[in-house]
Amino acid sequence: MSSSALYALVITLVATLLRLALDPLLGLGVPFISFFPAVMIAAVLGGALAGLLTLLLCAVMAAFFWFPSLRALQPDGAAMASVAAFLVFGSVLIGVALMVRVLLRTVIEAEERSRVLAHEMKHRIGNTLAVVQALVRQTRRSAHSLEEFDAVFTERIAALARAQDVVSGNPNLPTELRQLLAGVLRPFGTERFSLSGPTAGISADTAMSLALLVHELATNALKYGALSVPAGRVELSWRLGEGRIDLGWQERDGPPVTVPERAGFGSKLLKTAFAADMGETTILYEPDGVRCAIALPAASPAAKADLVAGFVARA
């Protein structure tokens, strides 16, 4: 037996027993007094089918117990009109009940979304605070003066903020890769960068990691690489694989490249931005330009990753 039929049987039985209990007071009068609310309740709880089944069963019960002419199969006009009126107004009640049902479902879904959003905000705030703490710690280790610390830390926080602006623009969707890269690279002059690749989405947490990673690459290119000379440029291209994105960074027409003698925060970040099972980064200091290959997971609308909280600490 379907749930709709079960709703109809149980609610009709309760309504009939209630009306029979009122029989000493009402007699044959007001036969549908308990059946109208029964139809409403059945439609709210079980939907349209439960409401319609309850309406028909209630009409049969009322005709059997409180309309002797119908029970004797000798219907009169008054009895037929009463039953017909019950069916008409009961159908209207079902329509009202369905609207109430939709409203209740909307309220429940909104409450659920609020809980999910609150959890997500707590998660993201915790991750962001962890990133900021790690940035302070790592920047302090690599800075030679308070002025250098202030400049580098301010730039990194700004990159994180730009990534957050992109992510918060579509909080329920994956972050669009091209939009994220354009936002992070804007302070370096977007005309120096070439972005090419299909539409691709990444999770919010992966976006934060990638934003800091790309910011470090651009900063190094501005100091020592292709962006340090007028003719230099950077090409970023990506392609989609099965559940992943392969992103390439290639500097061109810059000065000759040498491998850094000291591994600072940026160098460590390039190697440890992503967890081993979720993504990887490979950097090559080739003579004609720095090349970096980044592999990261593509996000579906429901995908969530938990990468940001510890990625800087691993650097």
Side-chain angles (χ1 to χ4, degrees), residues 240-262:
L240 291 174
E242 185 175 350
R244 59 178 280 162
I245 301 170
D246 293 307
L247 172 65
W249 169 286
Q250 176 65 64
E251 298 181 21
R252 299 192 182 280
D253 301 328
V257 174
T258 57
V259 179
E261 296 181 358
R262 185 174 67 93

Side-chain angles (χ1 to χ4, degrees), residues 91-239:
S91 299
V92 174
L93 276 180
I94 291 174
V96 174
L98 292 179
M99 289 189 288
V100 172
R101 182 180 171 90
V102 171
L103 179 61
L104 289 174
R105 185 165 57 244
T106 301
V107 171
I108 292 172
E109 290 175 352
E111 184 177 353
E112 180 63 24
R113 285 196 298 270
S114 297
R115 286 198 295 266
V116 172
L117 180 60
H119 178 76
E120 180 70 13
M121 289 299 295
K122 179 181 178 181
H123 170 75
R124 291 188 182 181
I125 289 173
N127 280 349
T128 302
L129 290 176
V131 170
V132 172
Q133 290 174 340
L135 284 176
V136 171
R137 183 169 57 252
Q138 296 290 355
T139 306
R140 183 180 66 241
R141 291 174 184 171
S142 59
H144 295 91
S145 65
L146 183 61
E147 290 75 14
E148 181 182 354
F149 171 87
D150 180 68
V152 174
F153 182 70
T154 299
E155 289 177 358
R156 287 169 176 164
I157 289 295
L160 194 63
R162 288 192 293 274
Q164 184 61 49
D165 286 342
V166 175
V167 171
S168 60
N170 297 286
N172 298 321
L173 298 174
T175 301
E176 210 285 309
L177 180 58
R178 183 185 299 273
Q179 185 182 7
L180 175 71
L181 294 174
V184 173
L185 296 173
R186 188 173 298 115
F188 298 92
T190 53
E191 69 279 357
R192 307 286 298 274
F193 297 89
S194 171
L195 306 181
S196 62
T199 300
I202 57 177
S203 71
D205 292 339
T206 304
M208 297 297 183
S209 301
L210 182 62
L212 288 174
L213 183 64
V214 171
H215 176 266
E216 289 299 327
L217 285 169
T219 298
N220 290 339
L222 186 64
K223 290 180 178 179
Y224 318 110
L227 301 183
S228 65
V229 297
R233 56 193 174 87
V234 177
E235 296 177 355
L236 286 94
S237 60
W238 60 92
R239 57 187 177 85

Side-chain angles (χ1 to χ4, degrees), residues 216-217 220-221 224-225 249-251 255-264 266-271 282-292:
E216 289 299 327
L217 285 169
N220 290 339
Y224 318 110
W249 169 286
Q250 176 65 64
E251 298 181 21
V257 174
T258 57
V259 179
E261 296 181 358
R262 185 174 67 93
S267 298
K268 294 179 181 178
L269 178 63
L270 294 177
K271 298 177 181 178
T282 304
I283 186 166
L284 299 174
Y285 295 96
E286 299 180 348
D288 59 341
V290 172
R291 182 191 300 271
C292 184

